[in-house]
Amino acid sequence: MALTPSNPFPLYKTAPEFTLLDTVTNKEFSLQQLKGKKGTVILFICNHCPYVIHINDQLVKIANQYQKQGIAFIAISSNDIVNYPQDGPDKMKQLALDLQYPFPYLYDATQEVAKAYDAACTPDFYVFDKDLKSTYHGQLDQSRPSNGIPVTGTDLIQAMDAVLNNQSPLTVQKPSMGCNIKWK
């Protein structure tokens, strides 16, 4: 596992469109079908990354809370499943059901969506406003698997609150850190 920071993503850039398979329902959904009325969080995650495992419980709580306020969450896994079979669609579905993900868990088989977002690591968080303009790209919070800091979601919550309150994007956007995306 290589500790990898997220790549920069320009503020106000429009979210790249996609249509991907939801591993839970086995149906394809587009960004336009899944976007939120007030905002959208797109997150690149995977099953096996210890950085994702570390935040999963808090992520579910935050998503449950903010989806009620009109912010949609869309999780995407883009990892190479030949070399990382634990990240395959069947295992994604099982994990989503076990953890009761309140959001779709989409599979990016071609890795084209990860490339369009310049995603680099898992977890990698992107926040968009109601018009799908980028307002945040960075970490969930300062917590990491071995640093002893509690998982709170502070940075992501501040970014979503700014969207909900029609405020300017956060001036400080710290990169997310995690496992590198497993490219083919």
Side-chain angles (χ1 to χ4, degrees), residues 72-170:
F73 280 66
I74 304 167
I76 300 171
S77 179
S78 300
N79 278 358
D80 169 20
I81 63 169
V82 172
N83 292 308
Y84 298 88
Q86 64 271 41
D87 290 334
D90 290 343
K91 296 212 174 14
M92 290 170 61
K93 176 181 181 175
Q94 190 59 55
L95 182 74
L97 293 172
D98 290 348
L99 296 177
Q100 298 180 357
Y101 278 172
F103 43 76
Y105 193 10
L106 309 179
Y107 177 51
D108 178 18
T110 66
Q111 300 184 318
E112 291 303 314
V113 177
K115 290 174 185 170
Y117 283 81
D118 201 16
C121 62
T122 57
D124 208 349
F125 295 92
Y126 300 74
V127 178
F128 298 91
D129 66 14
K130 64 180 174 50
D131 299 318
L132 291 175
K133 300 292 184 191
S134 172
T135 64
Y136 179 77
H137 178 228
Q139 66 182 7
L140 180 73
D141 58 29
Q142 289 285 107
S143 184
R144 304 293 183 263
S146 60
N147 71 4
I149 298 173
V151 181
T152 61
T154 303
D155 294 61
L156 181 63
I157 288 169
Q158 288 176 349
M160 291 185 299
D161 285 346
V163 167
L164 290 172
N165 295 313
N166 295 312
Q167 297 171 335
S168 297
L170 304 179

